[in-house]
Amino acid sequence: GVAVELVHMATLVHDDLIDGAATRRGRAAAWTEHGEDVAKAAGDYLFARAFAILAETGDPAAVAVLADACLALARGEAMQRLQRHDPDTTVEAYLERCSLKTGALFEAACVLGGGNGEYGRILGVAFQIADDVLDCAGDTIETGKIPGTDLQDGTPTLPLLLAAQTDPVVHAALAGGPREGVLVRVAASGALDRSRALALHYASEARACLDGASRREELEALTWAVVERRS
């Protein structure tokens, strides 16, 4: 669990730097507080510590599981860079990115904990969709994030892509055009409700993986918490 969380922290430190995000959960990001070089080094250190801790268990299979997850994270980040400012990104490509960038780490956590990896991967996709909805409609006080960060970065998330399919203003904004008033148009398009519905679908798919699983009640509750959260 510690190893997985250290990898998670490392990705956040590096993601903020790559995305140019000045804040994280309402506080200054590492790179804005201490500089880019320090943030790079801190992220690298966290990755190294994660694998050092896991290696101490003497379980090479566990190390392989987390290593595969980190490779998936890197592929997902590369895919996001390629999709940037592309309003014609397909929903399928977006979901693949979610599976790599988020689902892979959830999957690794479940496998390392002796649970169902497929449950984790699918739950990770549901989590990411919900997160992307919050970026368009969340309250800064609750989320600790500035709404519209994905739009500003040109990251094609599900709500933005669905809205861009029918609204040329959203389409142009996602491609790098004017962004003023665009989040209101995204909400008016019904894209947020459609995105929430897909997140609920993935949560349901995750629950379907739990047949016979231990602690099923807690794991089922987690699927609801992931999609109904406000932060």
Side-chain angles (χ1 to χ4, degrees):
V2 171
V4 171
E5 184 53 32
L6 285 173
V7 166
H8 179 223
M9 290 174 63
T11 65
L12 298 182
V13 172
H14 281 172
D15 277 355
D16 287 343
L17 177 58
I18 292 170
D19 297 338
T23 60
R24 166 68 60 178
R25 295 293 181 183
R27 301 182 65 179
W31 72 273
T32 57
E33 185 79 11
H34 303 287
E36 295 184 8
D37 290 340
V38 171
K40 291 175 187 176
D44 291 346
Y45 176 80
L46 290 169
F47 273 118
R49 285 298 301 146
F51 282 97
I53 288 171
L54 205 53
E56 289 173 359
T57 67
D59 185 355
V63 175
V65 167
L66 194 59
D68 286 343
C70 288
L71 289 170
L73 292 171
R75 290 196 297 270
E77 183 61 37
M79 181 178 287
Q80 182 168 308
R81 295 300 101 189
L82 289 173
Q83 294 174 354
R84 192 178 185 196
H85 290 304
D86 182 6
D88 296 315
T89 299
T90 65
V91 171
E92 290 74 18
Y94 161 81
L95 292 172
E96 181 183 359
R97 189 181 86 218
C98 291
S99 183
L100 289 169
K101 279 204 69 176
T102 309
L105 194 58
F106 277 59
E107 179 180 10
C110 288
V111 171
L112 292 172
N116 188 311
E118 187 66 3
Y119 162 85
R121 185 188 65 80
I122 296 172
L123 184 64
V125 175
F127 178 95
Q128 188 59 59
I129 295 173
D131 205 58
D132 293 341
V133 170
L134 285 173
D135 184 77
C136 291
D139 188 311
T140 300
I141 295 176
E142 292 187 283
T143 66
K145 302 177 182 179
I146 301 172
T149 298
D150 291 328
L151 179 62
Q152 181 176 337
D153 293 341
T155 301
T157 62
L158 184 62
L160 298 177
L161 289 172
L162 293 177
Q165 290 174 355
T166 58
D167 190 323
V169 175
V170 178
H171 190 280
L174 190 52
R179 299 186 297 269
E180 185 176 354
V182 167
L183 291 183
V184 175
R185 301 180 72 97
V186 171
S189 73
L192 298 179
D193 290 337
R194 292 169 63 192
S195 297
R196 289 191 187 98
L198 188 57
L200 287 168
H201 169 75
Y202 272 93
S204 176
E205 290 289 306
R207 289 192 293 275
C209 295
L210 292 174
D211 187 31
S214 62
R215 297 192 176 276
R216 176 169 182 148
E217 185 175 336
E218 293 95 326
L219 293 170
E220 284 188 345
L222 187 59
T223 67
W224 291 106
V226 157
V227 295
E228 292 178 351
R229 62 197 172 90
R230 295 181 178 274
S231 64

